[in-house]
Amino acid sequence: MRLVIGVVAMMLVGACVTPSDAPIQGSKHSLANRLKVGMSPTQVEAILGVDSGFERNPQNWDESCYSYLYDEAIAPKYVHAVFINDALARSTEGHQAICRYAEVAPAG
């Protein structure tokens, strides 16, 4: 029984840890496919270039979103890279504008 509990506990701990080499979904076109979870803003900048915009989440000051411009030929497109405590948590591409968090919390 102890062995089963130990194995289950190890599996749960392992599920909570995000490997720093985990790939981010993205295309070769935006270079987002080169990003990995856990990267710092400096490491992401080395791949995507200087950001075009930065905004901190007003509901969670540990989270921030950086926007990186790519593909200006027809219309600007941006990669949005979300960092939590300066570690890349996720990114998405194909946005037509830079990151924006809600200006005010919903009334209620």
Side-chain angles (χ1 to χ4, degrees):
M1 183 64 170
R2 283 184 170 180
L3 178 60
V4 172
I5 293 172
V7 170
V8 171
M10 292 298 287
M11 290 173 58
L12 289 174
V13 169
C16 296
V17 176
T18 304
S20 61
D21 62 347
I24 298 284
Q25 296 296 320
S27 68
K28 287 189 257 182
H29 187 65
S30 70
L31 300 179
N33 64 331
R34 295 184 181 180
L35 303 179
K36 300 198 182 311
V37 170
M39 287 182 147
S40 70
T42 303
Q43 291 172 309
V44 172
E45 182 177 298
I47 295 169
L48 299 181
V50 178
D51 67 89
S52 300
F54 162 86
E55 185 163 86
R56 192 166 299 281
N57 183 344
Q59 304 297 320
N60 178 1
W61 282 88
D62 293 334
E63 180 180 301
S64 56
C65 183
Y66 291 73
S67 300
Y68 299 91
L69 179 65
Y70 74 98
D71 191 17
E72 298 179 78
I74 297 172
K77 292 181 188 169
Y78 296 90
V79 171
H80 289 179
V82 177
F83 294 86
I84 298 175
N85 294 321
D86 288 331
L88 184 62
R90 63 187 179 279
S91 73
T92 54
E93 62 183 11
H95 301 277
Q96 295 179 349
I98 63 173
C99 300
R100 291 284 180 227
Y101 287 101
E103 295 291 323
V104 292

